C-alpha cells in the first residue's frame, strides 16, 4: 500500500515542472518566483501560492508573467484545484515567446485536460508539444510518457509494456540530467502494474533514477527513487530488503524538507517493523509519519482527481495504524502506563477526526479555527455525570475507548468491520421502513454499549457523548436496546465529530431567552430551478401519482440519490413550467408552517417564512448578530462532500460557504451561535460521510451545537419534537442533550409516534451542554 498525495500523474507533473524549472529559475528576476518554485518543489503549496501570486502580480514583462502563470498552474494542480489552474495554463500557452517553452506549456495543458477526462483535447496538446519541440528529446519524452498514460486503459498490458520499453530507451539516451531521473520515476510508476516484466522494468527505471540522482546531487529525486524501490520490495514480500532501502531513504532525507515523501516512508517503516514484532519501534515510526502529516496538513490535497477521498486513501490508514498498535499493546502495561497509552491513542483518534472533517469540508480553516478555539478554552473538564465514547472500527475487531472524569478504559470486541457495517445499515433500514427492529437493536447494544455498561452505571453517567467512526455515524444510538429499555431512556445522547473541535465550556443560563431566527419553507419558489440537474432528473423520474405521495417520494429520492449528486453549483437545469410546478409540489413541506408558528410562541424570535425566506433576507438577518439560535425548517441536503451539501431557501440554495460567510460577517464576526437547528434534513442514504455535513455546518456557522436528523420523518412528528425540545431548553439547568432526550421521550409516549422511526433520528451534534 502506498500513500499518494497527488493523482497517479504526480511524477508526470513533476517531470514537466522540472523540465521547465531549469530555465524558469535561471532567468527569473523576481525573487518571489524563485521562492515559490522552491516551496512548490518541497511540497509547501500554501506558501508557494503566496509567493507565486506576488510574482504574477508584480511581473512587468510578459515573459516573467508567463513563467509565474505556469508555476501557479502547476501548484494549483498539485493541490487538486483544477479550475483555478486552467486560466493560468491558458495564459502561459497563449503567450509563450518561443517554441520550446510553448511545447512545455502544451504538455502542462495536456495533463490538465487528461485529469479532467478530456482525452481528445489532451491528445491535441501532446501532439502540439511534439510538433513544436521536434529537436528537443526531453520534451518529446515527456509528451510521450503523458500520451502513453492517456492511452493505457485502451491498450493491452503487452502493448503498454512495449511502448514503455521504447520510451525507456529514449530516457537512457537523454543524457545525465535531472529530467531523465524524473522521467524514469514516471515510467517506472506506469510499468509497475504490468506483471512480472513490468515490475522488472520498473525496478530498472527506479534504480536508474536513484543512481542518477545521487550522481547529480538531486537529494529529493534520490529520496523518491528509494521510496519507490522500497515499495516494490514490500509488495514482493521481501521485507528485509524493503527495510534496508527505507533506512537508506531516511538517511538520505536528513536536511531535506520532504514531509510529503516521509509520510509514506515512515508509514512503511512502521508496517514492516510491526510485522517483525518490533512494536515499540513500529509505534515510533507511525508517530513520525503522523508528525509529517501534521507538518504539512494545510498542503495535502483534499481530494483525488477521480473523486476518491484523499483521507480514506492516504491518511486514515496511518492514524488508524498507530491507534491500533497503541490499543493492542496497552494490555501488556501496568495501570499507570496503560492509562497514559490509552490517552495517547485517544489523541491520535482526535487528529484523525480533525483530518477527516477537513477532507469532507475541503476547507482547513474552519477546522483549524475550531481546534484553536478549543485549545484556548479554559473549561474543558468532563463532568462527573458525562462519558465520552470512541467506538473504533478496525478490520478484525471493534475497540471501545471510554473516557470519564475518573479515568479512561478500553474494551476489544471480536467483530469484523464488514459485520458492523452490515448490522448498522440493516438496523437503519428496519427503522426507516417502520419494521420490527428489537433483535438488531439488542445485537448492536451488546457490541457497542454492553461492554461499558458497568462503568457507566457505577459512575452514575447521565450523558453519553459519542465520537462515531465510519458507518457508526449513520447509527441512531438512542434506539439501541438493552432488553429492558432504549438507550435514550438511560442517557442523554450527543454526537461530536471530535472532542478537540467541540466547545465544552458550560452554557450560561440567563433570565433573558435566547433570541431566535426562525426560517422556513413550506412552499418552494425559484429554488427548484437552482437544484443540481441530476437531482432534478431523479425527482421527476419518480413520477408520483398524488401530491401527498409526491412529497414522500421526493424525500426518499433525495436521500437515496445524494451520493451521485455533484456540487450544488454545478449542472443546474432550468426546469420547464410544468416541471417547475411539479417540483414545487414534490418539495413542499406542509408541516413547516405549523412548526414555525409553534416555535414563535415558545421563543423570542423573528420569522422568515416562504417568500420572505430569501437568501438575501436570511443573510441580512443573521449578519446583525442579534440571534443566538438559528432554526431552519427547510430541506437540508447532506451529501458525501461539502460541495453536495446545501439548504433550500425559497429562491436559491444556501451552501456551506454561504452559511460561513453570513455567520462570520457584520455583527456575527466576533461571536458564536449557541445553536443551529436544521429540522428537515435529508442525508445521503448509506453514505457514512454524509452525517459529517451537520458537523460541518456547525463549524462553518461557528455554532456551538447543531440539531438535525439522520433521516426525514413525518411533519407532525418533527413539529411535536421541536416544540418539546425548545420548551425543555428554556428550563433552568437543562442541557441541550437533556432537552433533546426529554423531547424524544415525550414523542415515544405518543402512541402515534412511539416507533423509533419518528424520534430516534434526531441528533445533537457538538456541545451537549
Amino acid at each position: 500500500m502506498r500513500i499518494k498525495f497527488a493523482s497517479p500523474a504526480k511524477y508526470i507533473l513533476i517531470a514537466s515542472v522540472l523540465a521547465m524549472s531549469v530555465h524558469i529559475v535561471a532567468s527569473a528576476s523576481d525573487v518571489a518566483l524563485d521562492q515559490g518554485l522552491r516551496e512548490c518543489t518541497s511540497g509547501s503549496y500554501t506558501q508557494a501560492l503566496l509567493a507565486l501570486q506576488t510574482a504574477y502580480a508584480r511581473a512587468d514583462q510578459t515573459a516573467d508573467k508567463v513563467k509565474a502563470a505556469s508555476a501557479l498552474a502547476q501548484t494549483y494542480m498539485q493541490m487538486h484545484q483544477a479550475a483555478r489552474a486552467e486560466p493560468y495554463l491558458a495564459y502561459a500557452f497563449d503567450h509563450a515567446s518561443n517554441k520550446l517553452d510553448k511545447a512545455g506549456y502544451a504538455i502542462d495543458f495536456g495533463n490538465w485536460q487528461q485529469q479532467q477526462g478530456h482525452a481528445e483535447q489532451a491528445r491535441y496538446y501532446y501532439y502540439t508539444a511534439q510538433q513544436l519541440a521536434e529537436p528537443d528529446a526531453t520534451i518529446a519524452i515527456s509528451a510521450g510518457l503523458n500520451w502513453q498514460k492517456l492511452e493505457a486503459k485502451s491498450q493491452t498490458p503487452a502493448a503498454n509494456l512495449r511502448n514503455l520499453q521504447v520510451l525507456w530507451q529514449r530516457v537512457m539516451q537523454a543524457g545525465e540530467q535531472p529530467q531523465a531521473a524524473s522521467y524514469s520515476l514516471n515510467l517506472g510508476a506506469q510499468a509497475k502494474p504490468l506483471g512480472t516484466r513490468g515490475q522488472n522494468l520498473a525496478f530498472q527505471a527506479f534504480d536508474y533514477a536513484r543512481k542518477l540522482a545521487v550522481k547529480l546531487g538531486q537529494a529529493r529525486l534520490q529520496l523518491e527513487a528509494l521510496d519507490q524501490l522500497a515499495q516494490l520490495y514490500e509488495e514482493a514480500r521481501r521485507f528485509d530488503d524493503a527495510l534496508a532501502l527505507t533506512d537508506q531513504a531516511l538517511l538520505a532525507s536528513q536536511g531535506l524538507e520532504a514531509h510529503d515523501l516521509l509520510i509514506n516512508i515512515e508509514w512503511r517503516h512502521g508496517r514492516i517493523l510491526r510485522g517483525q514484532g518490533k512494536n515499540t519501534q513500529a509505534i515510533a515510526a507511525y508517530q513520525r509519519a503522523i508528525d509529517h502529516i501534521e507538518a504539512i496538513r494545510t498542503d495535502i490535497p483534499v481530494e483525488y482527481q477521480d473523486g476518491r477521498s484523499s483521507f480514506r486513501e492516504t491518511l486514515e490508514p496511518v492514524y488508524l495504524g498507530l491507534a491500533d498498535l497503541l490499543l493492542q499493546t496497552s494490555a501488556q502495561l501496568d495501570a499507570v502506563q496503560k492509562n497514559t497509552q490509552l490517552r495517547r491513542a485517544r489523541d491520535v483518534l482526535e487528529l484523525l477526526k480533525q483530518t477527516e472533517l477537513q477532507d469532507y469540508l475541503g476547507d482547513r480553516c474552519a477546522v483549524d479555527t475550531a481546534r484553536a478555539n478549543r485549545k484556548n478554552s479554559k473549561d474543558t473538564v468532563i463532568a462527573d455525570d458525562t462519558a465520552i465514547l470512541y467506538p473504533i472500527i478496525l478490520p478484525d475487531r471493534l475497540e471501545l475507548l471510554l473516557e470519564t472524569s475518573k479515568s479512561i478504559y478500553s474494551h476489544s470486541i471480536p467483530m469484523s468491520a464488514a459485520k458492523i457495517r452490515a448490522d448498522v445499515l440493516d438496523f437503519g433500514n428496519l427503522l426507516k421502513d417502520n419494521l420490527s427492529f428489537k433483535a438488531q437493536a439488542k445485537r448492536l447494544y451488546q457490541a457497542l454499549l454492553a461492554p461499558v455498561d458497568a462503568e457507566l452505571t457505577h459512575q452514575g453517567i447521565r450523558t453519553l457523548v459519542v465520537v462515531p467512526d465510519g458507518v457508526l455515524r449513520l447509527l441512531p444510538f438512542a434506539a439501541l436496546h438493552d432488553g429492558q429499555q432504549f438507550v435514550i431512556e438511560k442517557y442523554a445522547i450527543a454526537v461530536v465529530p471530535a472532542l478537540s473541535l467541540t466547545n465544552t465550556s458550560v452554557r450560561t443560563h440567563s433570565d433573558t431567552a435566547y433570541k431566535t431566527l426562525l426560517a422556513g419553507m413550506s412552499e418552494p419558489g425559484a429554488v427548484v430551478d437552482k437544484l443540481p440537474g441530476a437531482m432534478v432528473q431523479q425527482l421527476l423520474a419518480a413520477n408520483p401519482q398524488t401530491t401527498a405521495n409526491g412529497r414522500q417520494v421526493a424525500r426518499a429520492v433525495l436521500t437515496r440519490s445524494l451520493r451521485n449528486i455533484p456540487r450544488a453549483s454545478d449542472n443546474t437545469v432550468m426546469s420547464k413550467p410544468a416541471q417547475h410546478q411539479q417540483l414545487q409540489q414534490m418539495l413542499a413541506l406542509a408541516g413547516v408552517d405549523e412548526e414555525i408558528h409553534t416555535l414563535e410562541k415558545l421563543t423570542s424570535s423573528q420569522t422568515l417564512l416562504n417568500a420572505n425566506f430569501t437568501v438575501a433576507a436570511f443573510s441580512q438577518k443573521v449578519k446583525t448578530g442579534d440571534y443566538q439560535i438559528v432554526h431552519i425548517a427547510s430541506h437540508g441536503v447532506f451529501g458525501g462532500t461539502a460541495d453536495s451539501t446545501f439548504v433550500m431557501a425559497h429562491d436559491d440554495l444556501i451552501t456551506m460557504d454561504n452559511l460561513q460567510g453570513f455567520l462570520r460577517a457584520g455583527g456575527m464576526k466576533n461571536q458564536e451561535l449557541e445553536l443551529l437547528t436544521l429540522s428537515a434534513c435529508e442525508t445521503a442514504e448509506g453514505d457514512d460521510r454524509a452525517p459529517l455535513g451537520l458537523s460541518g455546518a456547525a463549524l462553518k456557522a461557528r455554532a456551538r451545537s447543531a440539531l438535525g436528523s439522520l433521516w426525514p420523518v413525518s411533519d407532525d412528528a418533527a413539529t411535536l419534537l421541536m416544540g418539546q425540545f425548545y420548551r425543555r431548553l428554556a428550563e433552568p439547568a437543562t442541557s441541550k442533550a437533556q432537552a433533546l432526550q426529554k423531547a424524544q421521550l415525550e414523542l415515544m409516549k405518543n402512541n402515534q409516534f412511539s416507533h423509533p422511526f419518528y424520534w430516534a433520528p434526531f441528533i445533537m451534534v457538538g456541545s451537549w451542554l
Side-chain angles (χ1 to χ4, degrees):
M1 193 178 290
R2 172 177 175 76
I3 286 182
K4 305 172 188 173
F5 290 102
S7 67
K10 174 183 177 183
Y11 292 113
I12 298 171
L13 295 175
I14 288 177
S16 182
V17 170
L18 287 174
M20 295 188 303
S21 64
V22 173
H23 65 262
I24 288 175
V25 174
S27 63
S29 59
D30 195 326
V31 174
L33 178 60
D34 189 11
Q35 179 190 349
L37 285 166
R38 283 188 279 105
E39 296 282 9
C40 185
T41 302
S42 69
S44 300
Y45 301 131
T46 303
Q47 293 302 314
L49 278 181
L50 293 174
L52 293 172
Q53 286 164 348
T54 299
Y56 184 79
R58 291 179 179 175
D60 295 325
Q61 302 296 319
T62 300
D64 292 335
K65 209 167 190 72
V66 164
K67 294 169 187 176
S70 173
L72 271 170
Q74 294 292 349
T75 305
Y76 278 126
M77 289 174 75
Q78 292 288 5
M79 297 176 75
H80 290 227
Q81 297 182 24
R84 295 185 177 184
E86 184 182 16
Y88 294 107
L89 288 166
Y91 184 89
F93 179 73
D94 292 341
H95 294 84
S97 59
N98 63 68
K99 285 187 176 182
L100 281 183
D101 285 351
K102 196 175 186 73
Y105 302 141
I107 291 173
D108 295 334
F109 219 160
N111 291 340
W112 185 90
Q113 297 287 358
Q114 184 177 165
Q115 287 189 357
Q116 305 313 301
H118 305 154
E120 285 304 317
Q121 293 94 322
R123 291 187 188 98
Y124 165 77
Y125 283 107
Y126 295 148
Y127 176 78
T128 299
Q130 290 176 332
Q131 295 302 303
L132 288 168
E134 275 191 348
D136 190 288
T138 57
I139 289 182
I141 292 169
S142 180
L145 285 167
N146 284 287
W147 201 322
Q148 168 56 31
K149 180 180 182 295
L150 177 67
E151 305 295 351
K153 290 182 180 179
S154 61
Q155 298 176 153
T156 65
N160 286 327
L161 187 58
R162 284 195 300 272
N163 294 340
L164 289 172
Q165 287 169 334
V166 171
L167 287 165
W168 174 236
Q169 294 305 313
R170 294 182 186 174
V171 172
M172 295 290 288
Q173 296 165 8
E176 295 180 344
Q177 52 184 316
Q179 293 97 314
S182 296
Y183 297 159
S184 296
L185 291 170
N186 176 343
L187 190 146
Q190 292 193 56
K192 193 166 69 169
L194 302 177
T196 303
R197 292 176 62 200
Q199 289 168 2
N200 289 336
L201 177 58
F203 176 83
Q204 292 178 59
F206 294 149
D207 198 48
Y208 178 74
R210 178 187 63 83
K211 292 174 180 176
L212 188 56
V214 171
K215 188 170 185 177
L216 297 175
Q218 296 287 325
R220 186 177 173 88
L221 285 172
Q222 179 191 358
L223 192 59
E224 292 187 56
L226 287 167
D227 181 24
Q228 290 285 352
L229 284 167
Q231 187 68 30
L232 268 180
Y233 280 119
E234 185 188 22
E235 290 170 358
R237 304 188 66 78
R238 293 174 58 177
F239 298 118
D240 288 339
D241 292 326
L243 194 59
L245 284 163
T246 298
D247 288 337
Q248 287 183 46
L250 291 172
L251 185 63
S253 72
Q254 292 181 8
L256 282 181
E257 284 289 325
H259 297 294
D260 56 327
L261 298 176
L262 285 166
I263 293 167
N264 196 65
I265 291 166
E266 289 286 17
W267 181 30
R268 181 189 308 108
H269 201 194
R271 291 196 304 269
I272 295 173
L273 289 169
R274 182 178 185 177
Q276 295 177 341
K278 300 174 182 177
N279 288 333
T280 301
Q281 294 168 267
I283 287 171
Y286 269 101
Q287 184 63 61
R288 289 192 296 271
I290 288 175
D291 291 343
H292 288 303
I293 292 173
E294 291 297 304
I296 58 169
R297 193 187 208 27
T298 59
D299 292 309
I300 297 173
V302 167
E303 189 176 35
Y304 279 124
Q305 294 294 336
D306 62 8
R308 288 179 300 158
S309 162
S310 61
F311 167 77
R312 287 198 167 162
E313 295 293 331
T314 65
L315 302 180
E316 184 181 50
V318 185
Y319 289 102
L320 274 184
L322 178 55
D324 185 0
L325 262 174
L326 291 169
L327 292 168
Q328 197 171 55
T329 57
S330 66
Q332 306 157 12
L333 304 175
D334 63 37
V336 174
Q337 291 175 320
K338 181 176 182 179
N339 191 280
T340 300
Q341 185 144 311
L342 290 179
R343 292 186 187 282
R344 185 179 173 189
R346 176 208 58 196
D347 292 343
V348 172
L349 292 170
E350 284 289 321
L351 289 176
L352 180 147
K353 300 299 181 185
Q354 292 171 14
T355 306
E356 184 173 28
L357 193 54
Q358 286 179 331
D359 178 84
Y360 176 87
L361 292 173
D363 175 17
R364 315 293 179 186
C365 295
V367 173
D368 287 344
T369 299
R371 180 166 61 166
N373 290 341
R374 174 62 160 79
K375 283 182 179 178
N376 294 333
S377 174
K378 296 179 181 179
D379 187 6
T380 58
V381 177
I382 300 172
D384 290 342
D385 65 350
T386 301
I388 316 295
L389 178 67
Y390 296 84
I392 308 144
I393 302 174
L394 298 168
D396 61 337
R397 70 190 192 281
L398 173 69
E399 290 276 352
L400 301 177
L401 200 57
L402 182 74
E403 184 174 13
T404 69
S405 61
K406 293 183 171 56
S407 190
I408 189 166
Y409 316 86
S410 68
H411 298 270
S412 185
I413 296 91
M415 189 176 186
S416 72
K419 173 63 173 169
I420 294 169
R421 181 171 184 82
D423 283 356
V424 169
L425 294 180
D426 182 45
F427 181 55
N429 289 333
L430 291 174
L431 293 183
K432 283 179 273 190
D433 292 336
N434 217 331
L435 299 174
S436 176
F437 60 89
K438 281 283 183 69
Q440 196 70 302
K442 292 176 185 176
R443 276 195 294 272
L444 285 167
Y445 184 93
Q446 287 303 310
L448 292 161
L449 293 178
V452 298
D453 255 346
E455 283 301 333
L456 296 176
T457 302
H458 176 69
Q459 296 189 35
I461 298 301
R462 296 174 56 211
T463 299
L464 182 63
V465 181
V466 183
V467 189
D469 185 26
V471 73
L472 296 176
R473 284 190 288 265
L474 298 170
L475 179 66
F477 278 80
L480 300 188
H481 204 279
D482 66 1
Q484 301 297 321
Q485 56 186 339
F486 289 106
V487 168
I488 197 63
E489 296 178 86
K490 301 166 69 173
Y491 313 111
I493 304 288
V495 173
V496 299
L499 193 62
S500 52
L501 300 178
T502 304
N503 185 338
T504 57
S505 58
V506 177
R507 179 167 64 100
T508 56
H509 291 264
S510 64
D511 294 333
T512 305
Y514 286 129
K515 194 165 183 182
T516 303
L517 176 64
L518 302 173
M521 183 195 74
S522 63
E523 300 171 355
V527 68
V528 300
D529 297 323
K530 309 295 177 63
L531 298 173
M535 180 180 288
V536 170
Q537 291 167 11
Q538 292 186 53
L539 284 166
L540 294 175
N543 192 25
Q545 299 301 311
T546 69
T547 300
N549 184 46
R551 291 173 189 143
Q552 295 172 3
V553 170
R555 301 193 78 175
V557 170
L558 285 172
T559 58
R560 292 173 183 171
S561 67
L562 284 172
R563 297 188 71 172
N564 304 313
I565 296 300
R567 67 180 64 200
S569 59
D570 290 350
N571 194 29
T572 56
V573 174
M574 186 66 70
S575 59
K576 298 175 183 177
Q579 293 175 340
H580 177 97
Q581 186 176 5
Q582 185 178 349
L583 288 169
Q584 285 182 310
Q585 291 176 344
M586 293 182 74
L587 294 171
L589 292 167
V592 164
D593 290 352
E594 183 181 352
E595 179 179 328
I596 294 294
H597 295 325
T598 297
L599 299 184
E600 284 176 327
K601 300 171 185 175
L602 297 171
T603 60
S604 173
S605 60
Q606 289 193 13
T607 298
L608 298 173
L609 184 60
N610 290 329
N612 291 321
F613 177 25
T614 64
V615 173
F618 179 76
S619 170
Q620 184 179 13
K621 287 289 186 184
V622 296
K623 285 179 181 178
T624 63
D626 293 340
Y627 305 98
Q628 292 80 50
I629 296 176
V630 172
H631 179 105
I632 303 177
S634 178
H635 294 286
V637 177
F638 296 129
T641 68
D643 284 337
S644 57
T645 295
F646 53 87
V647 174
M648 294 185 200
H650 187 265
D651 63 331
D652 207 342
L653 305 177
I654 301 174
T655 66
M656 280 221 183
D657 287 341
N658 293 151
L659 199 61
Q660 182 176 29
F662 301 160
L663 289 160
R664 297 196 178 194
M668 290 300 298
K669 188 176 294 185
N670 298 313
Q671 67 184 66
E672 290 183 321
L673 272 184
E674 187 64 39
L675 175 66
L676 172 67
T677 299
L678 300 170
S679 67
C681 303
E682 280 92 30
T683 303
E685 189 167 291
D687 187 340
D688 59 47
R689 283 168 57 86
L692 288 171
L694 190 56
S695 303
L699 279 184
K700 288 275 193 177
R702 206 158 51 188
R704 282 166 51 94
S705 314
L707 174 59
S709 63
L710 293 172
W711 62 77
V713 300
S714 72
D715 294 336
D716 290 344
T719 298
L720 283 172
L721 183 132
M722 289 298 162
Q724 287 292 339
F725 169 75
Y726 283 103
R727 283 189 188 92
R728 300 296 188 172
L729 189 62
E731 295 175 352
T734 299
S735 71
K736 299 189 195 83
Q738 290 167 349
L740 178 58
Q741 177 192 28
K742 292 174 181 179
Q744 288 173 306
L745 292 175
E746 286 294 327
L747 209 60
M748 189 191 302
K749 294 175 185 176
N750 186 320
N751 290 334
Q752 187 180 351
F753 303 121
S754 60
H755 192 282
F757 165 79
Y758 297 103
W759 50 262
F762 292 96
I763 55 173
M764 182 62 64
V765 175
S767 175
W768 56 94
L769 298 169

